[in-house]
Amino acid sequence: MPNATNIALIPLLPLAAFVLLGLFGRKYLKSSAGLIGTALLLGSALLAFYTAYDYFFVYGKVDGVYQQFIPMKFTWLAFTKEMSIDMGLVIDPISVMMLVVVTLISLMVHIYSLGYLKGEERFSTYYAYLGLFTFSMLGLVLASNIFQIYIFWELVGLSSFLLIGFYYDKPSAVAASKKAFIVTRFADLGFLIGILVLSYCSGTFDFQTMISRLTDPESNEVKNAVASTFLGASALTWGAALVFIGGAGKSAMFPLHIWLPDAMEGPTPVSALIHAATMVVAGVYLVARLFPVFSVTTPGVLEVIGWVGAISAVIAAVIACTQTDIKRVLAYSTMSQIGYMMFALGVSKYGGEAGLGYTASMFHLFTHAMFKALLFLGAGAVIHYVHSNEMKDMGGLRKKMPITHITFLVACLAIAGVPPLAGFFSKEEILLAAYHSNTTIYWIALITSGLTAFYMFRLYFNIFWNKPYEAHGEHHSHGSASATSTQHASAGKEGGFVMMMPLVLLSVGAAAAGFIPFGELVSTDGKALESHFSLSFSAAPVALGLAGILLALWMYAKNSDKPAKLAASLGGLYKAAYHKFYIDELYLFITKKILFNIIGRAAAWFDRTIVDGLVNLTGNTTVLVSEGIKKIQSGKVQQYAIIFLGGVILLAVLFIYVFKPVYF
């Protein structure tokens, strides 16, 4: 049985780091803040790995089926005997898998940051924020009910706001943090309403009970929810759709993706943590947690999820082909890969081999965490070396940064789906699931895989090959002034042991994670699911990936005018992709020109004229009435008596002649 104390300590140790460093870091623990935060996170990671081993190989499987356990649970708020809000810890295949992902990637970021942010004035504050974020994410994946997950969902948003805007003296970082916070708040409003709808329909917040009630067609809860409709859709459909909107916002799905590229303004290790492996997959985890409801009761919403994921994947891949900032390329790559995970869930069913998409999505979430974190940390090492995010300032770095070069190449091959690296296995399962369920989505995914290989090796060749590297002086910084001085002092250095060790460890994961028998561990119904690979099926995506690599090799391995000629030949399409299809501009037009100018002005006029007018009318009327009646306050008893007598006579007349009482 699960050890409740050990499991509870997994999120509590990062929380302890946040409290300790937040209260005493800057004054007493400035020099040791990084080591303290890293040591506590190491303890959390070891407990997570121990929990994973215990669950998958000791007690988790009963009669061939992995069970769900709730080792700790207590009532927080009780409304009725049937309705209460509990706080608890849930242990099942996807929560245990996420524990490993979050703690491992966070630990690598903690270690890497010891070197990357060395000398940063707010070093202790940075590690305090890392602790808060990790605690929030771990609390989210361990939540036993939907309201509890919402609490930690918002804490993840808060901590990401603090980390993205860590360089508060940079206007771009401040703007990016506000943009991420505001966009995700709109999506989270939908999530909150969806929570209330689903909990009302099911009569509970508990995940296990909710799923049990809402997946039984004969249950009263389902019958009542189906009978309740709005605009032609049932209450269950609306609830599931609104919950997905919350997940789409957090996972940067089209059209709620606009915050993700700008969020690269935070420190590069933060990008690896938040936007590669943990926060952006929260939406995928949410859909997976409620997958039985989506699959059994609201299949229409699940189909929408599939199409949103596919559209997000291909749009992001096209945009990534045109970007010149290496962190923005990786940001759109993240959006594209999250799209893969989403449409894999969308084409899946519940139970048996039909649930291949679900398993493939979780598998890709796991492998993607390895190679995408590796890509971001590798990009951080490059930025640390050249002091620029732009590809034009890079080139020929393979000899100057050999460790970064090799590990970055491994990550590029993995995300391109080149066998036998991790990305090949998880991506093949996604493509296979799409092929059997929705051929249109399959072809979109296949094209996207070719684009992925192209833009990733466009990035690789521009950084490590192309023209010979020459120092270009000081370019725009990726940090504050204090960090910048430290970074320039390290010019010409690849990075110390603490920066290179995470790259090496993650490269091992990116290379070997695909050999994990994931289908035996994670499936829709807890039963083992065997993976089936066919050379004939794999031939097309592998060939398309290799074609994308060769095209990037031909265009970018050496400095030439081929990219410029290609961009010119594509004309408006290239320009539109470079400007991210003007989606940001569209949002600005809607908000400024329509919401602010038209609706906002009309609302302001209504407020000033009608609302304020009614308030002023009430006030003025009160003044006039008071001015009139104060004259009768003479202080003369005789006058008061006459008024009292007149009132009595008036009431008597009204009672006798107007109301006309009936006497019995």
Side-chain angles (χ1 to χ4, degrees):
M1 294 298 290
N3 188 310
T5 303
N6 288 346
I7 297 169
L9 283 173
I10 296 174
L12 289 178
L13 287 175
L15 177 62
F18 166 68
V19 174
L20 183 63
L21 299 178
L23 293 176
F24 309 108
R26 297 194 70 176
K27 190 173 182 179
Y28 302 107
L29 304 171
K30 189 173 183 179
S31 59
S32 58
L35 294 176
I36 293 172
T38 304
L40 289 171
L41 207 285
L42 176 62
S44 179
L46 291 175
L47 288 172
F49 275 85
Y50 176 76
T51 300
Y53 173 80
D54 243 14
Y55 178 80
F56 285 121
F57 302 107
V58 179
Y59 64 80
K61 184 178 287 188
V62 179
D63 297 329
V65 179
Y66 282 108
Q67 305 296 309
Q68 184 180 94
F69 300 94
I70 301 181
M72 182 182 292
K73 185 177 181 179
F74 64 91
T75 300
W76 181 35
L77 296 172
F79 303 109
T80 66
K81 291 182 178 180
E82 293 78 20
M83 178 66 75
S84 64
I85 299 178
D86 301 324
M87 299 293 282
L89 305 174
V90 63
I91 294 295
D92 62 4
I94 60 171
S95 66
V96 172
M97 181 268 295
M98 286 297 295
L99 286 180
V100 172
V101 169
V102 174
T103 55
L104 175 62
I105 302 303
S106 183
L107 178 61
M108 296 296 102
V109 169
H110 275 71
I111 296 172
Y112 184 91
S113 298
L114 291 172
Y116 190 85
L117 288 173
K118 184 180 180 181
E120 168 64 47
E121 183 180 355
R122 299 172 68 230
F123 192 63
S124 60
T125 304
Y126 171 81
Y127 273 91
Y129 291 168
L130 284 184
L132 176 62
F133 177 85
T134 307
F135 161 72
S136 304
M137 196 66 206
L138 291 170
L140 188 153
V141 302
L142 287 171
S144 63
N145 64 77
I146 197 168
F147 196 84
Q148 184 182 345
I149 209 173
Y150 179 76
I151 295 172
F152 286 101
W153 190 273
E154 294 300 335
L155 277 176
V156 168
L158 171 64
S159 52
S160 65
F161 169 81
L162 296 173
L163 285 168
I164 296 168
F166 178 73
Y167 297 129
Y168 62 89
D169 53 350
K170 289 179 62 180
S172 58
V174 174
S177 62
K178 291 192 293 184
K179 186 176 184 179
F181 191 80
I182 293 170
V183 172
T184 53
R185 290 295 69 71
F186 278 102
D188 291 351
L189 175 62
F191 183 27
L192 178 59
I193 298 172
I195 287 173
L196 298 176
V197 172
L198 291 183
S199 59
Y200 178 80
C201 292
S202 62
T204 182
F205 290 110
D206 181 74
F207 278 123
Q208 199 170 16
T209 308
M210 179 182 290
I211 291 171
S212 174
R213 292 176 179 177
L214 297 184
T215 54
D216 182 6
E218 300 302 319
S219 69
N220 292 328
E221 289 82 3
V222 171
K223 291 178 180 178
N224 293 334
V226 171
S228 303
T229 61
F230 178 70
L231 297 178
S234 69
L236 272 180
T237 300
W238 279 108
L242 289 167
V243 166
F244 169 65
I245 288 174
K250 198 73 81 181
S251 290
M253 292 290 93
F254 177 87
L256 300 172
H257 66 282
I258 58 172
W259 65 269
L260 185 64
D262 291 348
M264 298 300 107
E265 290 292 339
T268 303
V270 169
S271 302
L273 178 63
I274 299 180
H275 309 292
T278 53
M279 176 182 168
V280 292
V281 299
V284 178
Y285 176 80
L286 178 65
V287 175
R289 173 59 67 197
L290 289 170
F291 185 77
V293 176
F294 284 105
S295 179
V296 177
T297 314
T298 59
V301 177
L302 195 62
E303 186 176 357
V304 172
I305 292 172
W307 282 107
V308 169
I311 293 169
S312 299
V314 69
I315 287 178
V318 172
I319 295 174
C321 293
T322 64
Q323 300 303 297
T324 59
D325 184 312
I326 63 173
K327 289 177 67 175
R328 287 184 178 268
V329 173
L330 295 178
Y332 281 107
S333 172
T334 297
M335 176 183 167
S336 183
Q337 297 303 305
I338 300 297
Y340 261 89
M341 302 172 203
M342 278 294 189
F343 80 68
L345 290 172
V347 300
S348 184
K349 300 292 187 292
Y350 184 82
E353 293 187 0
L356 176 62
Y358 176 94
T359 299
S361 177
M362 297 298 99
F363 193 15
H364 198 60
L365 188 157
F366 185 81
T367 60
H368 174 261
M370 305 296 172
F371 53 72
K372 183 53 61 71
L374 176 56
L375 286 168
F376 268 108
L377 296 183
V382 172
I383 295 170
H384 194 269
Y385 187 93
V386 304
H387 307 295
S388 174
N389 293 24
E390 292 292 329
M391 293 183 193
K392 62 180 177 62
D393 300 321
M394 304 170 188
L397 292 174
R398 64 188 184 279
K399 295 181 180 179
K400 299 180 182 295
M401 307 180 71
I403 298 175
T404 305
H405 168 235
I406 296 299
T407 55
F408 200 92
L409 177 60
V410 170
C412 288
L413 291 169
I415 196 173
V418 176
L421 300 179
F424 165 76
F425 295 99
S426 58
K427 191 173 288 187
E428 288 298 295
E429 288 193 359
I430 290 177
L431 291 172
L432 184 61
Y435 181 79
H436 289 304
S437 299
N438 191 316
T439 52
T440 305
I441 289 181
Y442 165 75
W443 284 107
I444 293 174
L446 192 62
I447 294 169
T448 303
S449 69
L451 291 173
T452 301
F454 171 75
Y455 70 68
M456 286 309 308
F457 275 86
R458 168 180 176 264
L459 181 65
Y460 165 75
F461 286 120
N462 270 303
I463 294 174
F464 297 103
W465 292 77
N466 206 285
K467 61 184 182 296
Y469 173 73
E470 296 180 1
H472 299 278
E474 296 191 7
H475 301 284
H476 63 277
S477 170
H478 61 286
S480 65
S482 60
T484 302
S485 61
T486 304
Q487 292 153 8
H488 281 290
S490 66
K493 299 179 182 179
E494 183 175 14
F497 174 77
V498 292
M499 288 180 62
M500 294 297 104
M501 184 182 71
L503 300 185
V504 174
L505 293 176
L506 288 170
S507 66
V508 174
F515 294 98
I516 297 174
F518 206 81
E520 298 180 9
L521 306 176
V522 179
S523 64
T524 57
D525 53 8
K527 301 177 182 178
L529 179 64
E530 294 184 4
S531 301
H532 301 284
F533 284 103
S534 167
L535 290 176
S536 59
F537 180 82
S538 300
V542 171
L544 201 58
L546 292 175
I549 295 172
L550 292 174
L551 180 60
L553 172 67
W554 178 69
M555 292 184 63
Y556 300 102
K558 294 182 179 179
N559 192 23
S560 69
D561 61 349
K562 295 173 185 174
K565 288 182 178 179
L566 178 62
S569 65
L570 295 174
L573 177 61
Y574 181 89
K575 185 179 179 182
Y578 180 78
H579 291 285
K580 300 163 285 187
F581 295 108
Y582 302 100
I583 297 173
D584 285 74
E585 287 78 3
L586 178 62
Y587 271 105
L588 287 173
F589 174 79
I590 293 173
T591 53
K592 290 186 176 182
K593 300 296 184 181
I594 298 178
L595 294 180
F596 293 167
N597 288 352
I598 299 177
I599 300 176
R601 286 182 179 179
W605 176 88
F606 183 83
D607 180 64
R608 289 193 304 268
T609 307
I610 305 301
V611 177
D612 288 354
L614 289 173
V615 173
N616 293 335
L617 178 63
T618 303
N620 293 332
T621 303
T622 303
V623 171
L624 291 173
V625 172
S626 63
E627 288 290 336
I629 64 176
K630 76 178 184 179
K631 295 178 181 179
I632 66 175
Q633 301 295 323
S634 62
K636 298 177 180 180
V637 177
Q638 299 91 334
Q639 187 177 352
Y640 295 161
I642 293 172
I643 294 172
F644 177 77
L645 181 62
V648 171
I649 295 171
L650 179 61
L651 290 174
V653 172
L654 290 173
F655 184 75
I656 296 171
Y657 294 102
V658 178
F659 298 109
K660 298 179 181 179
V662 179
Y663 298 96
F664 297 94

